[in-house]
Amino acid sequence: MGRSGKLPSGVSAKLKRWKKGHSSDSNPVICCHRQAARSRFFSRPSGRSDLTVDAVKLHNELQSGSLRLGKSEAPETLMEEEAELAVSEKSSGTFLSGLSDCTNVTFSKVQRFWESNSAAHKEICAVLAAVTEVIRSQGGKETETEYFAALMTTIEAVESPESLAAVAYLLNLVLKRVPSPVLIKKFSDTSKAFMDIMSAQASSGSTSVLRWVLSCLATLLRKQDLEVWSYPVTLQVYHGLLSFTVHPKPKIRKAAQHGVCSVLKGSEFMFGEKAPAHHPAAVSTAKFCIQEIEKSGGCKETTTTLHMLTLLKDLLPCFPEGLVKSCSETLLRVMTLSHVLVTACAMQAFHSLFHARPGLSTLSAELNAQIITALYDYVPSENDLQPLLAWLKVMEKAHINLVRLQWDLGLGHLPRLFGTAVTCLLSPHSQVVTAATQSLKEILKEYVAPHMADIGSVTSSASGPAQSVVKMFRAVEEGLTYRFHAAWSSVLQLLCVFFEACGRQAHPVMRKCLQSLCDLRLSPHFPHTAALDQAVGAAVTSMGPEVVLQAVPLEIDGSEETLDFPRSWLLPVIRDHVQETRLGFFTTYFLPLANTLKSKAMDLAQAGHTVESKIYDTLQWQIWTLLPGFCTRPTDVAASFKGLARTLGMAISERPDLRVTVCQALRTLITKGCEAEADRAEVSRFAKNFLPILFNLYGQPVASGDTPAPRRAVLETVRTYLTITDTQLVNSLLEKASEKVLDPASSDFTRLSVLDLVVALAPCADEAAISKLYSTIRPYLESKAHGVQKKAYRVLEEVCASPQGPGALFVQSHLEELKKTLLDSLRSTSSPAKRPRLKCLIHIVRKLSAEHEEFITALVPEVILCTKEVSVGARKNAFALLVEMGHAFLRFGSNQEEALQRYLVLIYPGLVGAVTMVSCSILALTHLLFEFKGLMGTSTVEQLLENVCLLLASRTRDVVKSALGFIKVAVTVMGVAHLAKHVQLVMEAIGKLSDDMRRHFRVKLRNLFTKFIRKFGFELVKRLLPEEYHKVLVNIRKAEARAKRHRALSQAAAEEEEEEEDEEPAQGKGDSIEEILADSEDEEDDEEEERGQGKEQRRLAQQRSRAWLKEGGGDEPLNFLDPKVAQRVLATQPGPGRGRKKDHGFKVSADGRLIIKEEEGTNKMEEEEGAKGEDEEMADLMEDVIVRNKKHQKLKHQKEAEEEELEMPPQYQAGGSGIHRPVAKKAMPGAEYKAKKAKGDVKRKGRPDPYAYIPLNRTKLNRRKKMKLQGQFKGLVKAARRGSQVGHKNHRKDRRP
């Protein structure tokens, strides 16, 4: 959008401004507000409206006297076809002044036109002003009814088209708000007036009048009740509206079609209690559409058929069943014309019918099935991309709707769809393959799987719906043949979904398919191994491993002659997917097999066959890894666990290699397999056997070289098993553990291990056992052994953490004793024990009441100092305890602000203590400020900020760091108004920082300055800071501006991507048929895509209306009587390839044959080409080797530098992109003087003498490469010395007589 010179005054504010890069967009694509309004067009508000009389009165007061539009707003062009009348700014500002102060909110939309330069807008404002003046002169209240009466009188009196259009537009606005009884009573007169105007303006050139009159007529008809539609006059008026749906002018036709849709879908009586199933005018509308289509159906060039099909797309779900059938027959008849656009519009109509999911009164199951059967005669060719995508989407919706209406009938029609869709997998277009796959997967998941329980067992000899399932599976199974090898990935996805949906009931018919999958996986270079494993895994999940292994045995029994094990890949697949199966199958099948393989491995190891032994040992270990999956929601825990428990216990105690796996299986069984009470009791019964074994294992020290993972697994298993263990057993185990802790003979490792077990046991014991345990561990809270002290606090933490049960009762009854113990042990607490100690205090403070305030007061200094602990966990717990103590004070006091102030008073003394205490106190206040920002008074925050600013003058970095952190939080928390009072104080304190502090905290200061600049502006901050900070402030301003530009560009790019995504045609995934048919495939060259947008759109419009006829194969003529002849009418130009043609290096004749001319030296060229290919392969291989071995690469370069090698120049010529791009080699200094057949340098004619030097390079100044550079210099000097010595020797020889 270019402009030259200065624009007239007042015009610049009205210009439309485009974003950068959007100047070529002709139409807006973002219409979220229009779509939202359209979605609520036919519905009633569900909740209570916020529009009240008081709200309207307030709105009117705000609007009075301020109707003049601001200069920054641009007028919206509503009536585009009218000529614009240019007026000056002065005249527009005074136009109709004092006459347009209308108080009715209905016409608030008109207020936007008052400063418009459009003559049509001026006319609307003038009419509204005149009508308003008339109503006021008559003493009216400016209600919608009064405006309706006045405008109806006006519309009969005016004659000019401009005035008529303005009155019709105002009527269109007010009719929507006029009470329905008024419109019902005045229907005859109003409709007659509208019909007269329509008949008079039908042949006029202007479209504005007809647009708004048609809209008014549609609104009038929508307001009528059901009885009015029984009169012939009403239908006559409606037919007048209906007749304009085929008008040649698009705006009029669109207004009429929208009006018809609003009448049939949005009439008020359709939402009442006694609403009819269909609108009374639906019958006549359907007959009109059928009549118009049949009238113009014989001529392919007419657009009336397309107009009617567009109308049917919206209205077909509103018709009764009989008329839906007639319309469907008409649609199918016009599809026989093989007109591309007609067929596409008809498919859109069918899609909208099925997508609407109408009731049985509109679409019965039988009619749905008949339409499905008929659509099979219109299957597009597999090479025709967009029509085939549309057909697949329509058939998907049709079958989904049929299954919804009658599931057994729907399942009966699905086999044919599956057969056709699987055939579509042969299409050369990936979009078709994807769309067919997604459609079948959607049908299987959403509409077949829910009915499999009702179908029951599926066998090959079954009948009814079960037979349909068999046929569907056979159709998909056929995709495993080599004919579909290009689409095997999609076929495997379908099989995976089929196994998931139907595997439990249909596994008898799927066994052969499983065998085929296993055979296919063994084929060499099979590219879809992951997808095949996923499909077999789905079969394992749904059918169970027992059924799968019956179909495809493992073929592993320990007596193999070779070590191939072709089915061993099944073990990882079963491990990853087995669940909800019989635990007994593992006991009867896998457990004996694992024992056999282990014995075989031991025998081979004794015989010295180490490799074979390792293979069998790995196989038996893989079998044991299946156990956690078998323990995931098993179906026979109560019956099978007792046969497996002894084996598991032996495996834990005797097999260290299986310990982690078996512990994981036990944890899985307890957490995911003991949902039933009987299963839980059965597993709990063996706790007395498993827990002692686990305790003994945990007490054993870790051998050198072993990982501590097995010990962690054992401890986690103990914790899990204790959740289902009887309390008496827990108490006895806890008593024994306590004795072990008190035993003087116990080593430190044993004592620590037993304390870990006590930590796990404590939450599950009763109150008496916990009391005894407390007396046991109390002396250890002051132990000098840090590890023991930490474990003792961990025990106390677990007891205090119990929200209810014995632990909570113990804390409640021993609260005073616990308080005394924790206070007495404060001085002797080691740093490692701080974290669990603080956690104990958190749990205790949560349970305190107001009388315990002194205890909290005594804790404050310790908690403040813990905010600087070395342990991260201790610091986190310290901050959490600070917050919890604040909440406790809030609970204690009635006034929250006063209670919080009492708490803060306890922290203030730390600001005048030692340096560490000051830093910790500031950190504590910072955290409390952030947590209780809504409860701290403004005066409190301001006082804190002033004191912290004083502390910025400290010479200690820790204090300054904490103070800067407090200021940062204060800037975030405080409002701008309160913070503005202290900006000067903060800036002065920061400005007085020493150079060392300013340099050390430059990053923190930069962040603070950025926040202040964003809140108060650059100039204010710059004025308050000293000059040495100004350079930083300027840099911050530049960085902020740069970041703002980058954000704007990123946002614009994101919007463009969203727009491009919205504009892209759907490729089998879109739910809308319009998206599928949005664009047809482009068969032009890539250069055609770079043309202008307007030319491209015109070309695509021509493309959509064109069709191609695919001829028969070979010399066979095309048979037009063939029932499938419609498949040979293509919307895409047939041909072997579209897009850029490949250049094979030979000329091509007209019939496609290659023209190859023989030249001299052909054999020589072939030999060179062969040698070149071998050299390229060797070069690639050597490059791989060199890349893998950098040491060899370095040695090779050194060897080449030391001695010259005679080798052939490489045959590879760089060219292309990426690693094949041509890279210019840097010339070594002095390379032109190097001798070809000898060592050293030689003189060149016309050049100076050769010399050795080191080129200047700034990288030589790098101190890290000092030794390397010294080596280069040493080598250089050494060579020079050697040459000098040789020269001296030769010189002495020459001097000898």
Side-chain angles (χ1 to χ4, degrees):
M1 180 173 125
R3 75 180 193 182
S4 61
K6 187 177 180 181
L7 293 173
S9 175
V11 179
S12 60
K14 304 182 180 64
L15 287 177
K16 293 281 188 180
R17 296 293 183 187
W18 289 302
K19 292 181 180 180
K20 187 175 181 180
H22 288 259
S23 60
S24 62
D25 295 349
S26 58
N27 293 316
V29 295
I30 302 176
C31 51
C32 57
H33 301 293
R34 281 174 282 168
Q35 290 178 353
R38 189 180 298 117
S39 66
R40 295 192 292 268
F41 186 82
F42 300 115
S43 62
R44 293 292 182 264
S46 57
R48 186 176 180 181
S49 176
D50 294 333
L51 185 62
T52 60
V53 176
D54 296 335
V56 174
K57 188 178 298 183
L58 176 62
H59 177 73
N60 293 338
E61 292 174 359
L62 293 175
Q63 292 292 323
S64 60
S66 59
L67 295 177
R68 190 171 184 271
L69 191 67
K71 294 292 185 65
S72 60
E73 296 186 25
E76 293 187 5
T77 305
L78 183 67
M79 309 173 72
E80 298 85 349
E81 59 280 273
E82 301 295 339
E84 294 187 356
L85 180 62
V87 295
S88 66
E89 184 182 30
K90 181 177 179 181
S91 63
S92 64
T94 59
F95 180 69
L96 294 176
S97 177
L99 298 178
S100 56
D101 50 349
C102 173
T103 60
N104 195 308
V105 295
T106 304
F107 302 103
S108 59
K109 189 177 182 180
V110 181
Q111 296 171 5
R112 294 179 295 176
F113 305 153
W114 284 38
E115 285 192 353
S116 172
N117 291 331
S118 172
H121 294 168
K122 296 292 183 183
E123 188 68 25
I124 292 174
C125 296
V127 172
L128 178 59
V131 172
T132 303
E133 201 65 29
V134 171
I135 293 175
R136 288 178 179 175
S137 64
Q138 299 294 330
K141 298 181 180 179
E142 300 186 37
T143 62
E144 287 82 1
T145 306
E146 293 172 345
Y147 274 103
F148 166 66
L151 289 171
M152 285 303 301
T153 305
T154 306
I155 202 170
E156 295 175 357
V158 297
E159 296 181 356
S160 64
E162 294 80 6
S163 301
L164 200 59
V167 177
Y169 174 74
L170 294 173
L171 264 175
N172 173 57
L173 293 179
V174 78
L175 272 175
K176 298 171 183 176
R177 295 178 176 267
V178 176
S180 299
V182 177
L183 295 181
I184 293 174
K185 186 174 182 180
K186 294 294 182 179
F187 172 71
S188 179
D189 299 336
T190 308
S191 60
K192 184 177 182 304
F194 289 156
M195 293 294 288
D196 293 341
I197 296 173
M198 288 163 55
S199 60
Q201 297 290 329
S203 58
S204 65
S206 176
T207 60
S208 299
V209 179
L210 279 177
R211 282 179 62 193
W212 303 124
V213 171
L214 289 172
S215 180
C216 293
L217 189 59
T219 306
L220 180 65
L221 289 171
R222 278 199 303 116
K223 296 283 187 176
Q224 305 305 311
D225 55 13
L226 184 59
E227 297 178 358
V228 176
W229 285 94
S230 60
Y231 305 140
V233 179
T234 308
L235 291 176
Q236 183 179 359
V237 173
Y238 175 75
H239 288 161
L241 173 65
L242 193 60
S243 62
F244 281 91
T245 55
V246 292
H247 198 277
K249 293 189 176 181
K251 292 185 179 180
I252 297 176
R253 182 174 65 251
K254 185 177 181 180
Q257 291 184 355
H258 186 269
V260 170
C261 293
S262 64
V263 170
L264 293 187
K265 293 181 178 180
S267 294
E268 291 187 349
F269 62 83
M270 296 294 293
F271 299 94
E273 296 180 358
K274 299 181 180 180
H278 305 283
H279 197 281
V283 177
S284 58
T285 306
K287 292 180 180 179
F288 174 81
C289 294
I290 295 173
Q291 183 180 357
E292 290 295 328
I293 291 175
E294 291 178 348
K295 187 187 301 182
S296 59
C299 181
K300 298 174 79 172
E301 299 301 327
T302 183
T303 57
T304 305
T305 302
L306 297 176
H307 298 161
M308 285 295 99
L309 292 177
T310 305
L311 182 61
L312 279 178
K313 180 183 67 174
D314 297 324
L315 296 182
L316 202 55
C318 304
F319 294 158
E321 181 184 359
L323 292 172
V324 171
K325 182 177 181 180
S326 302
C327 291
S328 301
E329 293 173 352
T330 305
L331 292 176
L332 293 171
R333 279 200 299 272
V334 298
M335 287 173 66
T336 58
L337 297 174
S338 298
H339 191 279
V340 175
L341 285 180
V342 170
T343 303
C345 290
M347 296 298 282
Q348 286 183 355
F350 280 125
H351 182 273
S352 65
L353 173 65
F354 297 125
H355 186 68
R357 299 191 175 187
L360 293 173
S361 60
T362 298
L363 183 65
S364 63
E366 291 76 12
L367 179 58
N368 195 332
Q370 291 174 3
I371 296 175
I372 288 174
T373 305
L375 286 175
Y376 279 108
D377 295 334
Y378 302 92
V379 182
S381 172
E382 62 185 20
N383 296 320
D384 213 1
L385 176 59
Q386 296 298 335
L388 187 54
L389 290 176
W391 186 88
L392 285 171
K393 180 58 70 173
V394 170
M395 295 300 283
E396 176 191 346
K397 295 296 181 182
H399 284 82
I400 287 174
N401 192 66
L402 181 57
V403 173
R404 180 184 65 86
L405 295 174
Q406 189 174 344
W407 69 271
D408 54 346
L409 181 61
L411 289 178
H413 281 76
L414 283 177
R416 187 175 181 184
L417 174 65
F418 270 69
T420 307
V422 170
T423 306
C424 293
L425 299 181
L426 296 172
S427 173
H429 302 288
S430 60
Q431 298 96 321
V432 174
V433 177
T434 304
T437 306
Q438 292 296 332
S439 297
L440 296 186
K441 288 167 64 175
E442 181 75 14
I443 292 173
L444 285 172
K445 288 180 180 179
E446 303 296 333
Y447 300 97
V448 176
H451 300 289
M452 287 306 299
D454 299 331
I455 295 174
S457 179
V458 177
T459 60
S460 301
S461 59
S463 59
Q467 185 180 11
S468 301
V469 175
V470 175
K471 292 180 179 179
M472 290 155 56
F473 184 76
R474 296 297 181 219
V476 177
E477 188 181 12
E478 187 184 355
L480 292 177
T481 58
Y482 188 76
R483 189 162 63 107
F484 294 88
H485 72 280
W488 271 348
S489 176
S490 300
V491 174
L492 291 173
Q493 292 180 33
L494 285 174
L495 287 174
C496 180
V497 176
F498 225 121
F499 290 148
E500 291 176 354
C502 313
R504 191 176 298 274
Q505 291 83 11
H507 61 82
V509 299
M510 297 178 175
R511 297 188 178 187
K512 183 179 178 182
C513 179
L514 287 174
Q515 296 172 359
S516 302
L517 289 176
C518 292
D519 296 340
L520 195 61
R521 197 185 189 281
L522 297 178
S523 59
H525 308 296
F526 182 67
H528 308 293
T529 304
L532 192 147
D533 290 350
Q534 190 71 22
V536 177
V540 171
T541 302
S542 59
M543 305 177 193
E546 189 172 0
V547 175
V548 173
L549 291 177
Q550 287 176 0
V552 282
L554 274 177
E555 298 180 357
I556 300 174
D557 55 4
S559 60
E560 294 81 9
E561 297 180 358
T562 61
L563 299 178
D564 291 339
F565 303 113
R567 299 279 177 85
S568 61
W569 60 271
L570 281 171
L571 291 175
V573 173
I574 296 175
R575 177 198 63 202
D576 295 337
H577 296 88
V578 62
Q579 61 181 354
E580 297 185 29
T581 186
R582 287 197 315 113
L583 188 59
F585 180 66
F586 182 85
T587 306
T588 57
Y589 180 81
F590 284 108
L591 206 54
L593 180 58
N595 294 333
T596 303
L597 296 179
K598 183 61 177 178
S599 302
K600 180 79 171 178
M602 295 174 63
D603 295 341
L604 289 172
Q606 292 177 358
H609 302 290
T610 308
V611 176
E612 292 83 352
S613 173
K614 189 64 177 177
I615 291 174
Y616 277 103
D617 193 51
T618 303
L619 284 175
Q620 67 89 24
W621 178 80
Q622 285 185 332
I623 291 174
W624 273 101
T625 58
L626 306 180
L627 182 58
F630 276 89
C631 292
T632 304
R633 295 185 293 277
T635 58
D636 58 342
V637 175
S640 301
F641 185 69
K642 58 185 177 183
L644 184 63
R646 180 180 176 84
T647 306
L648 296 182
M650 294 176 62
I652 292 175
S653 58
E654 300 176 2
R655 298 281 303 275
D657 57 326
L658 303 178
R659 196 166 292 160
V660 175
T661 302
V662 176
C663 288
Q664 180 188 357
L666 282 175
R667 294 196 302 270
T668 306
L669 182 64
I670 294 169
T671 55
K672 298 181 180 180
C674 293
E675 298 176 356
E677 189 62 32
D679 299 342
R680 188 184 183 91
E682 178 67 17
V683 179
S684 176
R685 191 164 62 90
F686 289 90
K688 62 182 183 296
N689 305 106
F690 280 105
L691 288 176
I693 297 174
L694 295 172
F695 280 20
N696 292 333
L697 285 175
Y698 191 75
Q700 296 175 1
V702 181
S704 59
D706 292 344
T707 60
R711 293 190 80 241
R712 290 197 296 266
V714 169
L715 182 60
E716 191 62 33
T717 307
V718 168
R719 286 186 179 136
T720 306
Y721 220 128
L722 286 173
T723 58
I724 62 170
T725 305
D726 184 54
T727 307
Q728 295 180 357
L729 179 59
V730 174
N731 293 337
S732 63
L733 291 173
L734 187 59
E735 184 177 357
K736 294 179 181 179
S738 301
E739 295 175 358
K740 196 75 171 176
V741 171
L742 296 173
D743 187 4
S746 299
S747 63
D748 292 339
F749 177 82
T750 303
R751 187 172 286 109
L752 291 175
S753 301
V754 174
L755 282 173
D756 283 335
L757 297 174
V758 171
V759 171
L761 287 165
C764 304
D766 58 13
E767 187 176 356
I770 292 175
S771 300
K772 190 180 297 185
L773 174 64
Y774 173 69
S775 61
T776 303
I777 67 165
R778 183 175 177 179
Y780 292 103
L781 295 177
E782 300 181 9
S783 173
K784 294 183 179 180
H786 296 170
V788 175
Q789 188 187 54
K790 180 180 178 181
K791 300 294 183 184
Y793 272 111
R794 282 285 295 117
V795 175
L796 192 59
E797 176 190 345
E798 290 295 329
V799 173
C800 296
S802 301
Q804 56 188 2
L809 295 175
F810 168 79
V811 174
Q812 187 176 357
S813 60
H814 295 73
L815 187 57
E816 294 297 332
E817 188 177 355
L818 285 171
K819 287 166 49 181
K820 185 177 183 303
T821 302
L822 290 172
L823 288 177
D824 293 343
S825 61
L826 171 61
R827 295 184 180 276
S828 60
T829 305
S830 61
S831 181
K834 291 285 188 181
R835 189 195 65 79
R837 173 183 168 83
L838 292 170
K839 200 70 174 176
C840 291
L841 291 172
I842 290 174
H843 295 308
I844 290 176
V845 168
R846 286 175 181 170
K847 301 174 182 179
L848 295 180
S849 55
E851 60 267 16
H852 302 286
E853 186 173 335
E854 294 181 0
F855 175 69
I856 297 179
T857 304
L859 293 176
V860 170
E862 177 194 2
V863 180
I864 291 176
L865 287 175
C866 286
T867 57
K868 282 279 189 177
E869 273 292 333
V870 178
S871 170
V872 178
R875 294 199 298 269
K876 288 182 179 179
N877 288 345
F879 286 121
L881 181 54
L882 277 171
V883 176
E884 198 59 46
M885 292 161 69
H887 287 298
F889 270 91
L890 294 178
R891 290 199 310 268
F892 299 162
S894 57
N895 189 338
Q896 292 188 343
E897 189 170 346
E898 293 180 359
L900 192 60
Q901 187 64 33
R902 285 192 294 112
Y903 178 46
L904 293 176
V905 167
L906 302 177
I907 304 175
Y908 290 158
L911 296 177
V912 294
V915 173
T916 305
M917 192 66 181
V918 172
S919 176
C920 293
S921 300
I922 297 175
L923 283 178
L925 289 172
T926 304
H927 202 77
L928 293 175
L929 172 63
F930 182 79
E931 290 292 334
F932 300 102
K933 50 182 174 289
L935 299 176
M936 279 192 185
T938 306
S939 59
T940 304
V941 178
E942 292 177 354
Q943 183 183 0
L944 284 174
L945 184 60
E946 293 174 0
N947 293 328
V948 170
C949 287
L950 295 177
L951 293 173
L952 278 177
S954 173
R955 298 180 180 179
T956 309
R957 286 181 177 179
D958 282 347
V959 176
V960 176
K961 180 180 179 182
S962 302
L964 290 175
F966 182 89
I967 294 173
K968 182 178 179 181
V969 173
V971 171
T972 306
V973 170
M974 294 178 66
V976 178
H978 298 292
L979 186 61
K981 304 175 186 178
H982 306 278
V983 173
Q984 185 174 358
L985 176 64
V986 175
M987 293 293 109
E988 289 178 355
I990 294 176
K992 294 178 181 178
L993 289 175
S994 63
D995 293 341
D996 176 66
M997 293 291 184
R998 189 170 69 247
R999 183 170 53 254
H1000 185 75
F1001 296 113
R1002 57 187 179 275
V1003 177
K1004 290 183 176 295
L1005 289 174
R1006 182 185 179 91
N1007 293 335
L1008 267 180
F1009 293 155
T1010 303
K1011 290 181 179 295
F1012 275 106
I1013 289 173
R1014 289 174 180 173
K1015 283 182 177 288
F1016 302 104
F1018 172 80
E1019 296 298 334
L1020 176 63
V1021 177
K1022 182 180 179 182
R1023 190 166 61 250
L1024 295 176
L1025 284 174
E1027 188 176 355
E1028 54 263 26
Y1029 289 96
H1030 290 178
K1031 186 176 181 180
V1032 179
L1033 296 179
V1034 172
N1035 185 270
I1036 291 173
R1037 183 172 63 176
K1038 291 180 179 179
E1040 287 288 298
R1042 191 184 311 116
K1044 186 177 180 181
R1045 290 195 301 270
H1046 288 170
R1047 285 195 299 269
L1049 292 175
S1050 301
Q1051 184 178 2
E1055 291 177 357
E1056 289 180 1
E1057 290 179 2
E1058 291 178 359
E1059 293 173 4
E1060 290 175 1
E1061 290 176 0
D1062 294 339
E1063 293 172 359
E1064 285 180 358
Q1067 299 180 354
K1069 295 183 180 180
D1071 195 38
S1072 173
I1073 193 73
E1074 287 82 0
E1075 294 175 358
I1076 297 175
L1077 294 172
D1079 194 3
S1080 58
E1081 187 183 12
D1082 183 14
E1083 78 284 342
E1084 300 291 336
D1085 292 338
D1086 292 339
E1087 296 175 356
E1088 294 291 327
E1089 297 177 358
E1090 299 176 0
R1091 295 183 180 180
Q1093 184 177 2
K1095 187 174 182 180
E1096 181 71 14
Q1097 291 179 351
R1098 290 193 298 271
R1099 188 188 64 76
L1100 291 176
Q1102 296 175 0
Q1103 165 72 17
R1104 292 192 188 99
S1105 61
R1106 296 171 64 185
W1108 286 266
L1109 195 62
K1110 185 179 180 181
E1111 298 181 356
D1115 297 332
E1116 180 183 356
L1118 179 60
N1119 183 12
F1120 285 97
L1121 298 179
D1122 188 357
K1124 296 184 178 180
V1125 70
Q1127 296 185 8
R1128 296 188 176 275
V1129 180
L1130 307 180
T1132 307
Q1133 182 178 5
R1138 291 176 294 277
R1140 189 180 300 276
K1141 298 180 180 179
K1142 293 183 179 180
D1143 185 8
H1144 299 282
F1146 302 106
K1147 295 182 179 180
V1148 183
S1149 63
D1151 56 355
R1153 290 179 295 177
L1154 296 176
I1155 302 175
I1156 303 174
K1157 295 181 179 180
E1158 293 186 0
E1159 298 179 357
E1160 295 182 1
T1162 303
N1163 296 331
K1164 183 178 180 181
M1165 291 178 62
E1166 290 178 358
E1167 293 175 1
E1168 292 178 356
E1169 289 294 331
K1172 180 179 178 180
E1174 293 176 359
D1175 289 340
E1176 286 181 0
E1177 291 181 2
M1178 184 57 66
D1180 293 340
L1181 182 60
M1182 292 304 297
E1183 285 179 3
D1184 291 341
V1185 174
I1186 292 172
V1187 168
R1188 294 191 188 101
N1189 191 348
K1190 293 186 177 180
K1191 184 177 180 181
H1192 172 72
Q1193 183 179 8
K1194 184 176 180 180
L1195 293 175
K1196 179 181 177 183
H1197 288 319
Q1198 292 178 355
K1199 185 176 180 180
E1200 289 177 352
E1202 292 175 358
E1203 58 187 56
E1204 185 178 0
E1205 294 180 357
L1206 297 176
E1207 58 183 16
M1208 295 293 293
Q1211 299 293 327
Y1212 174 77
Q1213 297 293 329
S1217 60
I1219 61 174
H1220 302 289
R1221 67 188 185 280
V1223 180
K1225 294 183 178 179
K1226 296 181 180 180
M1228 294 297 294
E1232 60 269 22
Y1233 295 103
K1234 190 174 182 180
K1236 293 184 178 180
K1237 298 182 179 181
K1239 293 184 179 181
D1241 295 335
V1242 294
K1243 292 185 177 182
R1244 299 293 184 189
K1245 186 176 181 181
R1247 291 178 176 270
D1249 293 343
Y1251 58 96
Y1253 73 97
I1254 298 177
L1256 296 176
N1257 190 348
R1258 61 180 299 180
T1259 58
K1260 306 292 185 182
L1261 302 176
N1262 195 333
R1263 288 181 295 176
R1264 292 178 298 173
K1265 300 180 179 179
K1266 182 177 179 180
M1267 298 304 298
K1268 179 180 178 181
L1269 297 175
Q1270 287 180 357
Q1272 292 181 358
F1273 281 107
K1274 287 179 180 178
L1276 215 94
V1277 175
K1278 186 178 180 181
R1281 286 177 178 174
R1282 188 167 53 246
S1284 177
Q1285 291 175 0
V1286 173
H1288 282 298
K1289 287 181 180 179
N1290 294 334
H1291 191 59
R1292 285 196 298 267
K1293 288 180 181 179
D1294 293 338
R1295 286 183 177 181
R1296 289 176 184 174

